[in-house]
Amino acid sequence: MKTVRLHSKGPEVTTLCEILVRMGYPVMVSDVFTVAVDEAVKSFQSDYNLVVDGIVGIKTWSRLFEKNSTLTQYNDKLLSEQDLIDFANDYQVELACIKAVNEIESSGKGFLIDGRPKILFEGHIFWQELEHRNIDPQAYVRPENQDVLYKKWTKKYYQGGSREYERLAKAAALIPGLNLTDAAHASASWGVFQIMGFNAIPIGYDSMDSFVGKMYLHEREHLTAFGCFLKTNNLIVALQNKDWDTFAYRYNGEGYKANKYDEKLARAYQKYTT
């Protein structure tokens, strides 16, 4: 694993945070090595008789993996090179394009270390899903629900990792006596390519349960969902033409420029063509 420390950013940090949370250290799962993560790492190093420097190098990674022997339990759910080759051939897109999207959009593994698919719950989408079901979301706006039900997008309530499942479960149980599981599932993005659940039926799945069940199986199923999304939303030509601006806009939304997704995709593509 790559050595990471305060202010590092990347999928390695996300994995580190997941492990720390699993071990009971109070951090939020993200790809940024924050001060809180630094403090948790130093606590871990102190607890397990390591040099307390906040640097997660080979010794600290080794001890983390030693204390979490199940971390490799779900490695058989991961994408292979051949999976990407087959996908590129099926969709007549350069392999370098698929690898670029895989790198930039997936942010690492599509599964948590406990084997569940990675999700991110969106409370503003949940608001819309309630409206689609003729439920007035405003009637359920209360301080205790503010982290799962809000009208406008915000990342304020993101928890990351397994804690996103806690938010999802809270949303599903928002109204006593009413099963909102489908609405909650529709309000989360799923797997390697973070396909929003509300896309499930439009891109060809029989039901929300069918889509979610597939997401639990393998990153290959995440790739299949990505392909269905590309076809349904006519994005294959954008990839074939390396039109990163169009692809990023239609895949990531209007905020893609602020996050420089088009530039990141272009750079990743160049890397995989050399």
Side-chain angles (χ1 to χ4, degrees), residues 164-221:
E164 289 299 319
Y165 277 92
E166 295 174 13
R167 296 177 66 217
L168 186 147
K170 183 177 179 179
L174 182 75
I175 305 175
L178 186 61
N179 186 347
L180 293 174
T181 300
D182 272 12
H185 285 163
S187 305
S189 54
W190 294 82
V192 171
F193 296 96
Q194 288 293 280
I195 302 297
M196 287 298 303
F198 64 73
N199 288 298
I201 293 174
I203 65 176
Y205 290 86
D206 292 335
S207 65
M208 186 62 64
D209 281 348
S210 174
F211 171 76
V212 171
K214 295 287 188 182
M215 294 302 99
Y216 270 81
L217 296 179
H218 197 286
E219 285 185 350
R220 196 176 300 119
E221 294 291 348

Side-chain angles (χ1 to χ4, degrees), residues 100-150:
V101 177
N102 183 58
E103 175 183 325
I104 301 304
E105 301 295 347
S106 72
S107 298
K109 290 170 61 177
F111 288 91
L112 303 177
I113 59 177
D114 63 12
R116 289 180 294 180
K118 184 183 296 183
I119 67 167
L120 189 62
F121 184 81
E122 301 285 6
H124 70 295
I125 300 297
F126 188 53
W127 183 288
Q128 296 169 19
E129 289 297 320
L130 293 185
E131 289 182 325
H132 293 162
R133 290 162 174 77
N134 296 315
I135 298 169
D136 179 13
Q138 190 66 50
Y140 300 94
V141 174
R142 301 179 185 121
E144 63 268 26
N145 297 331
Q146 63 183 356
D147 60 334
V148 298
L149 184 64
Y150 38 87

Side-chain angles (χ1 to χ4, degrees), residues 4 12-20 33 37 41 56 61 64:
V4 292
E12 297 85 2
V13 179
T14 304
T15 298
L16 170 65
C17 291
E18 286 188 56
I19 296 172
L20 290 170
F33 200 124
V37 175
V41 167
V56 185
W61 277 122
L64 284 164

